[in-house]
Amino acid sequence: MDQEVKIGDRFPLTIRRLDINGAGIGYYRRKITFVTGALPDEVVVAEVTAIHDRYLEAKTHRIRKSSPDRVPPVDPNYGIVGGVELGALSYPAQLRFKTDVIRQSLAKYKPAGWQNYDVRATIGMENPLHYRNKAQFPVRMLDGHVRAGMYKPGTHELVSLKTFATQRKLTMHVINGLCKIIERLNIPVYDEKANSGIIKTLVVRESAATGQVQVTFITNSAKLPKKAELLEAIATELPAVISVSQNVNKGRTSQVWGAETTLLAGSAYITEVINGVSYNLSPQAFLQLNPEQTAVLYAQALEALNLRKGDKLVDAYCGVGTLGLALAKKAGSVRGMDTIPAAIEDAKENAAQNGFTNTEYTVGKAELVLPKWVSEGYKPDAVIVDPPRTGLEGDFIPALLKARPKRFVYVSCNPSTLARDLVRLSKVYNVDYIQSVDMFPETARVEAVVKLSLRK
């Protein structure tokens, strides 16, 4: 078969559905074919871009029969950069797809009773554009000008972005303003081929609640030429910026951030407010990128936990305390743990500034800290987890099943690792429901709040 199909071959294909990354799925000579830019129920002419033993990759060369859910792309760079892979799919169809992705993942891993799970319709946004409160854009010279933007998928070829459909407008205004200042001051930007130049990446984050903006220059060396002029120009031309830092990350690396961050001007934090709780955010502090839907997600988590007066709550993978603090008003006490010391310091600071005295935060791995707390007599009534895309660490699930909290809420950003983890969790817990929330419109990503209760 591999000899028969060559890269560049074109053939008509009927698209059955979308895969978890938003690519169309069809079958060519019984071989699964993933087609970027194709939508369910379309007939396309697919052009092969990669050949694998068990599947083909292709792009849409031409659409013969269009989906009724196809809409004009939300951004002129649709199909050129990532981040808007569902940008030609109507928003109601995006929401249906995200619910279906969860069902697909359950069908793949088959946790106990999965066919009967209450998988609820995805909660969307009224306006699914311009929601991202953070941009992390590489900076390069393009046609003699300083430009920031995103790479074409699978390359390091930069596409300059003046606006972008999912980014908040103030964030993009600041990015463009910084590029003009850097160009005017003639500060060297990074050249990847030569591994020379100074400014590699611009990280801009804004607070939807306060309008404050935080800028971090990620640089190839600790030296930052014309620093005083740069800071003066930012203060004059970009008054929303109240925090400017520098992070040093030398040489060619796939990592965006280096280990060392220094405050150059202004405040060490910007402040975001969600559901009445304020959070101080240092440059590397994690907070969901969609403030409006974060409020929805946290409200769903609170409802799922159904906390009672005096409940002991453990917030595993707590980060800067965002989820636990959103629940602290209802809980008797909240304890959180995280492996990043700076995040724990931020969590303590956030608890203090909101006046919470019923919280405690510890540096350490969740799978080690939880058993220690239980052995010391702190037996949680409820546990909430919001792990990274890799899901729950191998040893955390046995620790949780030993602690056996009555109520457990799993906030997931990856349906595949969620379904995998539910295989083990569903042996002891009932899955009451899965409520997905669209945190990232125009993309294939989806978050879910899962309510679990201890089996009687």
Side-chain angles (χ1 to χ4, degrees), residues 214-219 243-249 257-264 268 282-285:
Q214 181 178 63
V215 168
T216 307
F217 293 99
I218 296 181
T219 59
S243 170
V244 184
S245 294
Q246 179 184 0
N247 174 273
V248 179
N249 189 15
W257 292 83
E260 180 193 332
T261 303
T262 309
L263 182 69
L264 300 182
S282 56
Q284 283 179 267

Side-chain angles (χ1 to χ4, degrees), residues 146-162:
V146 173
R147 299 284 189 239
M150 292 161 69
Y151 294 132
K152 289 183 180 178
T155 77
H156 273 210
E157 187 183 336
L158 190 77
V159 177
S160 171
L161 299 175
K162 295 282 186 180

Side-chain angles (χ1 to χ4, degrees), residues 391-412:
L392 296 175
E393 298 296 333
D395 293 336
F396 179 75
I397 292 177
L400 178 85
L401 296 182
K402 197 172 175 190
R404 296 173 81 85
K406 293 189 206 70
R407 296 182 304 288
F408 173 45
V409 167
Y410 188 147
V411 180
S412 165

Side-chain angles (χ1 to χ4, degrees), residues 346-419:
D346 284 352
K348 289 176 180 175
E349 177 72 29
N350 285 328
Q353 77 164 13
N354 284 284
F356 291 125
T357 55
N358 61 339
T359 60
E360 186 180 313
Y361 290 98
T362 301
V363 177
K365 290 184 173 180
E367 61 268 30
L368 301 178
V369 175
L370 180 59
K372 179 173 176 285
W373 284 344
V374 171
S375 71
E376 291 167 355
Y378 189 84
K379 190 173 185 319
D381 303 290
V383 170
I384 191 162
V385 295
D386 185 7
R389 289 186 65 76
T390 48
L392 296 175
E393 298 296 333
D395 293 336
F396 179 75
I397 292 177
L400 178 85
L401 296 182
K402 197 172 175 190
R404 296 173 81 85
K406 293 189 206 70
R407 296 182 304 288
F408 173 45
V409 167
Y410 188 147
V411 180
S412 165
C413 60
N414 184 340
S416 290
T417 53
L418 168 65

Side-chain angles (χ1 to χ4, degrees), residues 87-149:
L89 184 64
S90 74
Y91 193 54
Q94 289 186 34
L95 297 179
R96 291 195 299 273
F97 158 72
K98 294 187 183 199
T99 311
D100 184 56
V101 162
I102 291 168
R103 290 201 179 98
Q104 283 182 47
S105 299
L106 294 172
K108 181 182 176 184
Y109 287 95
K110 298 179 170 54
W114 66 274
Q115 299 98 322
N116 301 317
Y117 287 178
D118 177 8
V119 180
R120 299 181 175 180
T122 304
I123 299 171
M125 295 184 75
E126 198 174 325
N127 176 17
L129 297 172
H130 302 298
Y131 58 82
R132 285 180 68 101
N133 62 353
K134 185 179 180 184
Q136 197 164 277
F137 285 176
V139 187
R140 300 291 183 267
M141 292 300 292
L142 286 180
D143 302 323
H145 293 284
V146 173
R147 299 284 189 239

Side-chain angles (χ1 to χ4, degrees), residues 99-386:
T99 311
D100 184 56
V101 162
I102 291 168
R103 290 201 179 98
Q104 283 182 47
S105 299
L106 294 172
K108 181 182 176 184
Y109 287 95
K110 298 179 170 54
W114 66 274
Q115 299 98 322
N116 301 317
Y117 287 178
D118 177 8
V119 180
R120 299 181 175 180
T122 304
I123 299 171
M125 295 184 75
E126 198 174 325
N127 176 17
L129 297 172
H130 302 298
Y131 58 82
R132 285 180 68 101
N133 62 353
K134 185 179 180 184
Q136 197 164 277
F137 285 176
V139 187
R140 300 291 183 267
M141 292 300 292
L142 286 180
D143 302 323
H145 293 284
V146 173
R147 299 284 189 239
M150 292 161 69
Y151 294 132
K152 289 183 180 178
T155 77
H156 273 210
E157 187 183 336
L158 190 77
V159 177
S160 171
L161 299 175
K162 295 282 186 180
T163 62
F164 198 60
T166 59
Q167 290 285 355
R168 289 174 69 91
K169 290 173 181 175
L170 177 57
T171 306
M172 293 306 295
H173 170 73
V174 171
I175 289 267
N176 290 320
L178 291 170
C179 286
K180 285 176 185 166
I181 293 167
I182 293 163
E183 184 173 322
R184 191 174 71 233
L185 294 176
N186 210 17
I187 301 170
V189 302
Y190 189 58
D191 179 327
E192 201 166 16
K193 283 181 184 165
N195 190 25
S196 64
I198 303 291
I199 297 177
K200 293 170 101 175
T201 306
L202 296 177
V203 184
V204 175
R205 170 153 61 183
E206 71 169 280
S207 162
T210 63
Q212 297 169 340
V213 176
Q214 181 178 63
V215 168
T216 307
F217 293 99
I218 296 181
T219 59
N220 190 34
S221 72
K223 193 174 90 171
L224 183 54
K226 304 191 179 168
K227 189 192 297 179
E229 294 100 311
L230 176 65
L231 295 174
E232 189 181 332
I234 291 169
T236 306
E237 296 167 40
L238 300 168
V241 177
I242 67 151
S243 170
V244 184
S245 294
Q246 179 184 0
N247 174 273
V248 179
N249 189 15
K250 295 178 183 176
R252 295 187 189 94
T253 168
S254 59
Q255 300 294 319
V256 174
W257 292 83
E260 180 193 332
T261 303
T262 309
L263 182 69
L264 300 182
S267 168
Y269 304 99
I270 59 170
T271 303
E272 185 60 278
V273 183
I274 295 166
N275 293 346
V277 179
S278 62
Y279 303 99
N280 281 346
L281 303 173
S282 56
Q284 283 179 267
F286 172 78
L287 183 70
Q288 296 281 5
L289 296 171
N290 184 338
E292 185 182 326
Q293 289 294 84
T294 301
V296 174
L297 186 79
Y298 289 1
Q300 288 294 327
L302 181 60
E303 188 179 321
L305 267 175
N306 190 23
L307 290 169
R308 288 147 202 184
K309 199 175 178 186
D311 270 355
K312 298 185 182 80
L313 171 66
V314 167
D315 174 17
Y317 307 87
C318 69
V320 298
T322 45
L323 251 178
L325 294 176
L327 306 166
K329 284 177 189 168
K330 296 272 185 181
S333 63
V334 177
R335 286 193 182 187
M337 77 288 271
D338 200 284
T339 55
I340 301 166
I344 291 298
E345 288 308 307
D346 284 352
K348 289 176 180 175
E349 177 72 29
N350 285 328
Q353 77 164 13
N354 284 284
F356 291 125
T357 55
N358 61 339
T359 60
E360 186 180 313
Y361 290 98
T362 301
V363 177
K365 290 184 173 180
E367 61 268 30
L368 301 178
V369 175
L370 180 59
K372 179 173 176 285
W373 284 344
V374 171
S375 71
E376 291 167 355
Y378 189 84
K379 190 173 185 319
D381 303 290
V383 170
I384 191 162
V385 295
D386 185 7

